[in-house]
Amino acid sequence: MPSSSTAPSARRLAGAIEPVAGQVYFAPEAHEAYQALGFAGSPRSTRGVQAPDGPAYFTSRGSVLGQVPGEVVAAAFGVFNPDAVIPSVAHGWSITDAATICAARTRGATAQLVRVLGEQPEGAERARDLLQRAVEPLRPEGKALFAGLLSLGLPGDPVGDVWRLADLLREYRGDAHIAAWVSAGFDATEIGLLTEAFWGLPLRSYVRTRAWTPEQLDAAEERLVARGLLADGALTELGRAEREAVEVATDRVCAPIVTALGDDLPALLDILIPWGKAVRAAAGYPAAGPHDLADSTR
């Protein structure tokens, strides 16, 4: 089990990494690069933040696995309805190939960070060294997206390297999280509903972005109620304990990250947190969202 200090540190680091790594999905530079390949471009903007095009999102993020079919992408992503993922990926591969869109993804992510932070942001070399130290002890077994990113190596420029390393840690925790909830006996619709309640969100306010139908979510909620995990749209005591256990299991797999950073973890947070705030202020990532609610429960 993670120590009393390891689990909060693992979660806080994940929260600090999120807007720095995850900004690729909202970067105008990435949307423009995908549009130049033949995708539709960003379909909408919310408070200035450009949402990703579905086929471009699934194909670009999935490209780190190679040019695999949509079934494999759906399995690796875990939480999305395969009925949405499979045709989106098939459409993507009819437009471009994995290497091309993967390179566009890297360029887009790096370009937004350079626009917001500059070509040599303060602390970049230190952040790169610390993030690389955090990645070095991690094993790829059972972690498809992490392994795919690992196979790419680093882009070779200061900002691009920091982004790739942050993305590696983001996908590592994501891979570990999927393994945790699958082994706990949940499916994607069930963990989606449990997570909303865990974060304090109304049911179906976030999981609907994963393309599940109302009927599928109805059935999942019925199963969770029957198991005594949900009641009246909220977690029961048992439900909260089981959902927290999933997070603890994820933290346990991420403990080597915290151990590798040791006393330098605060220094990394001191760099990443202001960067994340700057990215959000520039509308490069949502100003607030479920990850913030999750962090408030830790």
Side-chain angles (χ1 to χ4, degrees):
M1 297 290 287
S3 70
S4 59
S5 60
T6 298
S9 295
R11 298 188 202 186
R12 191 171 184 219
L13 178 59
I17 285 172
E18 177 58 31
V20 176
Q23 54 83 24
V24 63
Y25 304 118
F26 307 94
E29 292 88 345
H31 300 324
E32 290 165 8
Y34 304 150
Q35 194 167 11
L37 295 176
F39 291 89
S42 174
R44 64 187 178 281
S45 176
T46 303
R47 297 183 179 88
V49 179
Q50 295 184 16
D53 169 67
Y57 166 77
F58 291 122
T59 309
S60 62
R61 186 181 173 207
S63 68
V64 305
L65 301 170
Q67 199 151 330
V68 297
E71 289 86 349
V72 176
V73 175
F77 287 17
V79 294
F80 290 89
N81 188 342
D83 290 343
V85 179
I86 292 168
S88 292
V89 172
H91 176 63
W93 295 147
S94 75
I95 294 172
T96 189
D97 59 78
T100 299
I101 196 167
C102 190
R105 180 178 188 263
T106 300
R107 290 196 307 272
T110 303
Q112 170 157 260
L113 288 178
V114 167
R115 171 170 53 81
V116 174
L117 304 174
E119 291 188 2
Q120 293 281 350
E122 184 176 355
E125 290 187 11
R126 179 70 166 147
R128 182 192 183 280
D129 290 345
L130 290 175
L131 287 167
Q132 191 154 36
R133 188 203 300 177
V135 168
E136 281 175 357
L138 303 182
R139 299 289 306 173
E141 293 91 336
K143 299 174 185 68
L145 289 168
F146 170 78
L149 282 170
L150 198 63
S151 74
L152 300 177
L154 299 180
D157 61 275
V159 175
D161 286 356
V162 167
W163 173 72
R164 173 64 50 72
L165 291 163
D167 202 27
L168 277 159
L169 292 178
R170 182 182 189 270
E171 296 290 26
Y172 183 89
R173 186 175 180 94
D175 289 337
H177 190 62
I178 292 170
W181 57 256
V182 169
S183 65
F186 298 116
D187 67 23
T189 52
E190 293 164 353
I191 196 64
L193 292 170
L194 285 177
T195 297
E196 287 177 325
F198 187 67
W199 287 346
L201 294 172
L203 293 188
R204 309 185 193 206
S205 60
Y206 183 73
V207 72
R208 61 184 174 81
T209 66
R210 276 40 188 157
W212 301 105
T213 67
E215 294 76 17
Q216 288 169 321
L217 295 174
D218 285 343
E221 185 172 356
E222 288 174 7
R223 293 193 298 273
L224 294 171
V225 169
R227 290 171 63 178
L229 305 180
L230 283 180
D232 300 322
L235 289 174
T236 63
E237 184 176 344
L238 177 61
R240 182 163 296 280
E242 291 206 12
R243 179 57 183 80
E244 174 62 19
V246 169
E247 212 65 31
V248 169
T250 306
D251 295 331
R252 182 166 57 247
V253 178
C254 294
I257 297 170
V258 177
T259 300
L261 290 169
D263 292 339
D264 289 323
L265 174 60
L268 181 57
L269 294 174
D270 286 345
I271 298 169
L272 294 180
I273 290 172
W275 285 4
K277 289 179 179 177
V279 168
R280 284 175 149 160
Y285 188 90
H291 293 286
D292 303 297
L293 295 169
D295 190 61
S296 71
T297 69
R298 292 164 188 167

